[in-house]
C-alpha cells in the first residue's frame, strides 16, 4: 500500500459497475447511445468534482459536481424524450436514472460510497428488466442478460466500496479487483448460458416460467458471488 489513505470506492470496480449498468440499459431499453453517453459522462464529471480537494470546500468543487449532475439529467431527459412505443418510457426512464444513482453511489462527494444508493440504482435497473419481461414475455434472452447484469452491477459496486474502505483508493488493488471482476463475469456468463439451455428444453411462450427462471438465476448468481 502506498500514498495517502483515502476511503473512496476503488476506481476499477466502480467504473466497471457503472459501465455494466449502462450496457444493461442499452440491452433492454430503447435508450440512445447519446443519452447513455451523457448520463455516464455526467457521472464522470461528478467523480472529478468529488476528487477536488482543498483546505476548505470551494465553490469550484460544487460547481463541477453540479454540472455533472445536470449533464446526466440532460441525458436522462434525452433518453426519455426519445422513448416511443408502448412501454418504452416505463422501461427507459428507470434504467437511465439507475445508471445515474449507481454513479452517485460510487463517485461520492462525501464519505466512502453509499450502499443505500447502490441498492436503489441496481433496483431501478432491475425494475426495467422486470418491466421488459412483462411487456415482452416471449423473449427470454434480454431478460436473462439484464438480470445477470443487474446482479453484477451490485456485486462490482459492493466490491468497489469494500476495497475502498479497507485498503483505500490509493492502494494498488487492480489485480485484486480484476480477479474478482473476472470471476463474477464468468459466473454471470455461465448463468446466462445455462439459463438459455434450460429454457430451450421447455415449450415456448411460458412467460411465467421465464420470470421464474430469471428469479432462480438471480438467486444462484447472488449465492455464487457471495461465496
Amino acid at each position: 500500500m502506498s500514498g495517502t489513505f483515502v476511503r473512496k470506492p476503488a476506481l476499477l470496480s466502480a467504473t466497471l459497475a457503472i459501465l455494466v449498468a449502462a450496457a444493461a440499459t442499452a440491452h433492454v431499453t430503447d435508450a440512445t447511445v447519446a443519452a447513455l453517453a451523457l448520463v455516464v459522462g455526467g457521472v464522470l464529471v461528478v467523480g472529478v468534482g468529488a476528487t477536488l480537494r482543498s483546505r476548505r470546500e470551494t465553490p469550484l468543487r460544487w460547481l463541477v459536481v453540479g454540472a455533472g449532475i445536470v449533464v446526466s439529467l440532460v441525458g436522462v431527459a434525452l433518453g426519455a424524450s426519445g422513448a416511443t412505443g408502448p412501454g418504452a418510457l416505463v422501461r427507459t426512464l428507470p434504467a437511465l436514472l439507475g445508471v445515474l444513482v449507481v454513479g452517485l453511489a460510487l463517485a461520492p462527494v462525501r464519505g466512502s460510497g453509499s450502499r443505500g444508493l447502490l441498492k436503489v440504482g441496481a433496483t431501478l435497473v432491475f425494475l426495467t428488466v422486470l418491466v421488459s419481461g412483462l411487456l415482452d414475455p416471449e423473449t427470454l434472452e434480454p431478460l436473462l442478460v439484464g438480470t445477470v447484469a443487474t446482479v453484477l452491477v451490485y456485486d462490482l459496486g459492493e466490491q468497489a466500496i469494500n476495497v475502498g474502505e479497507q485498503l483505500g483508493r490509493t492502494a494498488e488493488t487492480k489485480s485484486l479487483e480484476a480477479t474478482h471482476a473476472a470471476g463474477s463475469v464468468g459466473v454471470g456468463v455461465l448463468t446466462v448460458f445455462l439459463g438459455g439451455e434450460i429454457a430451450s428444453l421447455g415449450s415456448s411462450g411460458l412467460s411465467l416460467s421465464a420470470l421464474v427462471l430469471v428469479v432462480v438465476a438471480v438467486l444462484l448468481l447472488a449465492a455464487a458471488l457471495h461465496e
Side-chain angles (χ1 to χ4, degrees):
M1 186 185 307
S2 63
T4 305
F5 190 89
V6 179
R7 285 191 173 90
K8 293 285 187 182
L11 282 175
L12 179 58
S13 296
T15 302
L16 289 175
I18 295 169
L19 291 179
V20 171
T25 300
H27 194 67
V28 300
T29 73
D30 299 325
T32 63
V33 174
L36 276 169
L38 283 173
V39 174
V40 175
V43 168
L44 176 62
V45 174
V46 171
V48 172
T51 61
L52 295 178
R53 292 177 176 279
S54 66
R55 292 184 178 180
R56 295 183 297 178
E57 297 290 347
T58 64
L60 175 62
R61 185 186 194 201
W62 292 107
L63 182 63
V64 173
V65 170
I69 293 175
V70 169
V71 169
S72 289
L73 290 176
V74 169
V76 172
L78 179 63
S81 64
T84 58
L89 181 61
V90 179
R91 287 191 296 181
T92 304
L93 186 58
L96 290 173
L97 287 173
V99 176
L100 172 57
V101 174
V102 168
L104 294 178
L106 301 177
V109 179
R110 295 182 183 276
S112 57
S114 173
R115 291 183 173 84
L117 283 179
L118 177 62
K119 290 177 182 176
V120 171
T123 300
L124 285 170
V125 176
F126 187 57
L127 178 63
T128 291
V129 176
L130 288 179
V131 171
S132 299
L134 293 173
L135 294 176
D136 190 12
E138 305 297 328
T139 306
L140 176 62
E141 187 267 345
L143 189 63
L144 190 56
V145 173
T147 303
V148 170
T150 302
V151 177
L152 286 175
V153 169
Y154 182 73
D155 175 72
L156 292 169
E158 274 281 344
Q159 174 73 353
I161 294 174
N162 289 338
V163 170
E165 286 180 341
Q166 296 173 17
L167 301 177
R169 172 170 284 185
T170 56
E172 183 52 55
T173 59
K174 290 185 176 58
S175 296
L176 171 68
E177 295 178 73
T179 300
H180 178 90
S184 298
V185 171
V187 173
V189 171
L190 180 61
T191 302
V192 171
F193 173 77
L194 292 178
E197 291 297 308
I198 293 172
S200 68
L201 298 177
S203 58
S204 59
L206 297 177
S207 58
L208 181 59
S209 298
L211 289 174
V212 170
L213 178 61
V214 169
V215 173
V216 172
V218 170
L219 293 177
L220 290 176
L221 178 59
L225 291 176
H226 284 82
E227 283 295 330

